[in-house]
Amino acid sequence: HHIYLDDAALNNVALTTTQVVVRGNTLTNNAPYASASALTPTPGGCGATAIVVHGLKDGITIENNVVSEPTVPGSDRCWGISVDSGGYSGIYAREGFHNIVIRGNSVINYGMGIGVDMCDTCTVENNSIYSEFASGATGVVAPAKYFQAAIAGHARRP
């Protein structure tokens, strides 16, 4: 992942991360190696998300970024921007997102452009999504992971 907004904790209690802005980045070649043991880059080997947000979040803005893959990924495991459940356990099992804004981003050549899940009062607007992914890319997916945190009983509003 290029940018990963993860969880925070204090005294073994999960905290809600608030008021974070990810703005104006140009991110290319996300996870250019096909695996952790690959010795050389594998064009199109992407298997990650360029900008990912997990955990308990309130007031996150992701705007005016360009995320792109110059070589079309070989699988749909390569995502552009995603605000969704990480499927964690323990103190980080509870996840949820409030007041999230994803706007004005350009997302190029990903299997999934933008995904949101477990999102309350979230806005996805004015983004440009383009892909040459042969197996059929998706632009905006909500829910991105089909409420897996809610089904597991881990959904929580921050």
Side-chain angles (χ1 to χ4, degrees):
H1 309 294
H2 287 298
I3 297 175
Y4 195 120
L5 299 180
D6 202 359
D7 298 311
L10 179 64
N11 296 326
N12 210 29
V13 175
L15 300 175
T16 298
T17 303
T18 63
Q19 306 307 315
V20 175
V21 177
V22 178
R23 179 183 295 132
N25 298 283
T26 299
L27 309 169
T28 60
N29 288 322
N30 184 33
Y33 293 84
S35 70
S37 61
L39 298 177
T40 59
T42 308
C46 179
T49 305
I51 300 174
V52 64
V53 179
H54 293 317
L56 296 169
K57 303 291 184 278
D58 187 0
I60 307 298
T61 300
I62 301 170
E63 66 181 354
N64 301 329
N65 298 285
V66 176
V67 294
S68 68
E69 288 299 311
T71 302
V72 178
S75 80
D76 62 357
R77 296 178 302 126
C78 198
W79 292 8
I81 299 170
S82 192
V83 176
D84 60 22
S85 170
Y88 302 121
S89 61
I91 65 170
Y92 299 120
R94 300 228 178 261
E95 297 189 81
F97 310 97
H98 183 67
N99 293 323
I100 307 297
V101 176
I102 303 172
R103 87 162 63 94
N105 300 285
S106 295
V107 181
I108 303 162
N109 280 339
Y110 289 89
M112 184 189 76
I114 297 172
V116 294
D117 200 13
M118 310 307 303
C119 214
D120 169 31
T121 315
C122 297
T123 303
V124 178
E125 63 184 4
N126 301 323
N127 298 283
S128 297
I129 301 170
Y130 171 80
S131 185
E132 295 176 8
F133 186 69
S135 297
T138 54
V140 177
V141 180
K145 293 187 177 173
Y146 307 99
F147 303 112
Q148 72 181 21
I151 291 167
H154 295 162
R156 179 177 157 208
R157 183 168 184 240

